[in-house]
């Protein structure tokens, strides 16, 4: 099976990640920060090493790196942590339901209002102008994806961050698709809250994610419990990372995540991005020359896009095409990709889209085989 569903989760994982998870089970089996015996202390030290590694990778203070179960949990921590007591938030129509649904829930129960800006295929200047126009006196947060998980469109994160600073508004970024593909320096780029998955471009195991704070922000908590510190107090600690890390962390997963980050540092992000975007563009241009193929972006060019895009075969639903590809030995994803508003903008809310997303392990020969198969399917 040739795997082109890396926007959902990267597969396969590097060997060192698999070995690190195994070591997490064999060597780091204590509960970190909960006991004084040597196994617990050794495990706590390992967790700290990975936290420090992630802090360096994302340009953050080590205590501002918070381990989560996935990007969804990180986004909920960020969004609700700022808006739990009301306010206005601005987001875009590229967003995943992990952004849209927490906002909708807050609007229903917590006196939150929101504005969704249509940024699909707009220029940077137009995007910035529309976001600026949407700012109100009660705007607390602007949150947007670094890059779409459907079209691959990248947003001008640093320019949006600058706009936020000018208006004293917090800025959160959904980096589920960009972490491990694009360089992210939260402090240098002006990002207040960066949320990402550990199991996608960071090549860690499932059940891992990160919330990385660029600044000292006291978030409201949506989950409280044991932290191993200040246990006599009924209130949650105010210091990080303990404030947001109630309960036992996924130690084996964190070990694997650390190995994934090391793998990326060895490979180099620039090299990874160029490899992946070249494969995507090869597939995009190959499909563009076929009859009955519908594409939804004008290009898949380096610099403007992430290595992911969708297409359809005219007259068929995306799931029908995905089933045919699966029978032919290719793993792609059909449907709405948990991002309904962009599919609405594309006019694909009824049929969905077939999504192709590559990783560092994919090869040109696999793209060639895919295009050969699509020639037959498209006819």
């Amino acid at each position: 099976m040739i795997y082109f569903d890396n926007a959902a989760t990267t597969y396969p994982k590097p060997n060192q990640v698999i070995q690190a998870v195994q070591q997490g089970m064999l060597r780091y089996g204590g509960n970190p920060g909960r006991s004084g015996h040597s196994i617990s202390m050794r495990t706590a030290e390992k967790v700290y090493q990975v936290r420090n590694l992630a802090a360096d990778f994302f340009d953050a203070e080590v205590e501002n790196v918070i381990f989560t179960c996935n990007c969804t949990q990180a986004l909920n921590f960020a969004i609700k942590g700022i808006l739990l007591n009301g306010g206005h938030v601005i987001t875009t129509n590229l967003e995943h339901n992990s952004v849209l649904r927490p906002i909708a829930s807050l609007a229903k129960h917590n006196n939150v209002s929101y504005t969704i800006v249509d940024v699909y295929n707009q220029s940077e200047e137009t995007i910035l102008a529309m976001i600026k126009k949407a700012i109100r006196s009660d705007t607390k947060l602007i949150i947007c994806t670094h890059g779409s998980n459907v079209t691959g469109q990248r947003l001008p994160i640093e320019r949006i961050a600058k706009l936020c600073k000018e208006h004293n508004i917090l800025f959160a970024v959904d980096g589920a698709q960009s972490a491990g593909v694009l360089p992210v320096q939260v402090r240098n780029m002006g990002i207040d809250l960066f949320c990402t998955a550990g199991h996608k471009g960071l090549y860690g195991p499932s059940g891992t994610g990160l919330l990385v704070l660029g600044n000292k922000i006291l978030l409201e908590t949506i989950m409280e419990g044991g932290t191993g510190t200040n246990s006599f107090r009924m209130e949650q600690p105010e210091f990080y990372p303990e404030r947001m890390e109630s309960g036992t962390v996924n130690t084996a997963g964190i070990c694997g995540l650390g190995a994934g980050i090391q793998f990326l540092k060895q490979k180099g992000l620039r090299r990874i991005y160029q490899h992946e975007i070249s494969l995507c563009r090869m597939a995009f241009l190959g499909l563009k020359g076929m009859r009955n193929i519908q594409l939804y972006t004008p290009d898949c060019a380096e610099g403007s896009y992430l290595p992911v895009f969708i297409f359809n075969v005219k007259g068929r639903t995306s799931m029908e095409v995905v089933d045919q590809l699966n029978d032919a030995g290719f793993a792609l994803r059909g449907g709405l990709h948990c991002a309904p508003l962009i599919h609405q903008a594309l006019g694909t809310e009824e049929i969905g889209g077939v999504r192709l997303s590559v990783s560092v392990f994919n090869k040109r020969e696999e793209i060639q085989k895919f295009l050969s198969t699509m020639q037959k399917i498209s006819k």
Side-chain angles (χ1 to χ4, degrees), residues 297-367:
T297 55
D299 203 345
C300 187
E302 180 177 342
S304 300
Y305 292 89
L306 291 175
V308 54
F309 68 88
I310 68 163
F311 66 92
N312 275 311
V313 177
K314 294 176 183 177
R316 288 180 238 177
T317 68
S318 61
M319 294 309 299
E320 289 170 342
V321 177
V322 165
D323 285 343
Q324 283 185 279
L325 284 166
N326 183 68
D327 291 341
F330 297 90
L332 283 81
R333 181 176 173 183
L336 300 181
H337 315 97
C338 301
L341 298 185
I342 185 58
H343 277 282
Q344 193 172 44
L346 297 171
T348 53
E349 61 266 43
E350 297 296 328
I351 62 171
V354 182
R355 185 177 70 186
L356 182 144
S357 51
V358 299
S359 84
V360 69
F361 293 112
N362 288 122
K363 301 176 176 66
R364 292 180 65 86
E365 306 88 81
E366 294 176 329
I367 300 294

Side-chain angles (χ1 to χ4, degrees), residues 195-263:
C195 307
T196 193
H199 65 97
K200 298 188 182 188
L202 297 181
Y203 290 91
S206 58
T208 59
L210 291 167
L211 168 59
V212 183
L213 304 178
N215 294 296
K216 299 289 184 184
I217 304 163
L218 187 64
L219 296 171
E220 296 290 339
T221 56
I222 59 172
M223 183 175 76
E224 299 80 33
T227 60
T229 55
N230 290 5
S231 294
F232 269 111
R233 291 188 61 194
M234 294 284 283
E235 298 82 18
Q236 193 76 354
E238 293 189 352
F239 49 85
Y240 296 114
E242 286 86 350
R243 181 170 177 79
M244 311 304 290
E245 285 185 0
S246 294
T248 303
V249 295
N250 178 4
T251 305
I254 290 169
C255 291
L257 177 57
I261 294 174
Q262 289 282 25
F263 169 78

Side-chain angles (χ1 to χ4, degrees), residues 55-336:
D56 178 68
F57 191 76
F58 290 111
D59 178 40
E61 296 290 340
V62 65
E63 63 270 19
N64 287 343
V65 173
I66 296 152
F67 293 118
T68 62
C69 295
N70 43 47
C71 189
T72 298
Q73 187 181 55
L75 286 164
N76 273 264
F77 281 172
I79 295 166
K80 293 177 181 177
I82 294 167
L83 296 167
L84 207 58
N85 297 316
H88 175 248
V89 56
I90 299 169
T91 191
T92 82
N93 65 334
L94 295 184
E95 306 307 315
H96 192 276
N97 275 335
S98 297
V99 170
L100 299 175
R101 285 177 172 172
I103 290 173
S105 177
L106 288 166
K108 186 176 181 180
H109 302 291
N110 295 77
N111 196 32
V112 166
S113 57
Y114 60 88
T115 301
I116 297 174
V117 178
D118 181 358
V119 299
Y120 170 59
N121 271 3
Q122 301 287 353
S123 69
E124 285 192 11
E125 298 302 330
T126 300
I127 291 169
L128 290 164
M130 289 191 296
I131 292 174
K132 185 175 182 179
K133 185 179 179 181
I135 292 173
R136 305 184 337 197
S137 59
D138 61 339
T139 302
K140 287 186 177 180
L141 176 69
I142 294 175
I143 180 167
C144 65
T145 184
H146 199 164
S148 170
N149 72 320
V150 176
T151 65
Q153 179 185 345
R154 289 168 58 175
L155 293 182
I157 294 303
E158 292 178 80
R159 297 185 70 183
I160 297 172
K162 185 179 179 182
L163 181 66
C164 287
K165 293 297 176 290
E166 290 171 355
H167 292 81
N168 198 29
I169 298 168
L170 292 172
F171 183 43
V173 174
D174 176 0
Q177 300 301 324
S178 63
V181 180
L182 302 177
V184 175
Q185 297 180 306
V186 292
R187 289 181 293 190
N188 187 49
M189 295 171 74
I191 300 170
D192 296 301
L193 306 105
F194 184 77
C195 307
T196 193
H199 65 97
K200 298 188 182 188
L202 297 181
Y203 290 91
S206 58
T208 59
L210 291 167
L211 168 59
V212 183
L213 304 178
N215 294 296
K216 299 289 184 184
I217 304 163
L218 187 64
L219 296 171
E220 296 290 339
T221 56
I222 59 172
M223 183 175 76
E224 299 80 33
T227 60
T229 55
N230 290 5
S231 294
F232 269 111
R233 291 188 61 194
M234 294 284 283
E235 298 82 18
Q236 193 76 354
E238 293 189 352
F239 49 85
Y240 296 114
E242 286 86 350
R243 181 170 177 79
M244 311 304 290
E245 285 185 0
S246 294
T248 303
V249 295
N250 178 4
T251 305
I254 290 169
C255 291
L257 177 57
I261 294 174
Q262 289 282 25
F263 169 78
L264 294 171
K265 293 180 75 172
Q266 291 164 6
K267 286 281 185 181
L269 292 188
R270 182 64 180 165
R271 181 180 166 197
I272 290 171
Y273 176 70
Q274 287 180 331
H275 170 74
E276 293 184 4
I277 201 69
S278 67
L279 292 182
C280 249
R281 195 151 197 270
M282 179 182 174
F284 183 92
L285 294 177
L287 290 170
K288 193 173 184 179
M290 295 182 195
R291 291 177 55 199
N292 300 320
I293 297 292
Q294 177 71 54
L295 292 163
Y296 297 92
T297 55
D299 203 345
C300 187
E302 180 177 342
S304 300
Y305 292 89
L306 291 175
V308 54
F309 68 88
I310 68 163
F311 66 92
N312 275 311
V313 177
K314 294 176 183 177
R316 288 180 238 177
T317 68
S318 61
M319 294 309 299
E320 289 170 342
V321 177
V322 165
D323 285 343
Q324 283 185 279
L325 284 166
N326 183 68
D327 291 341
F330 297 90
L332 283 81
R333 181 176 173 183
L336 300 181

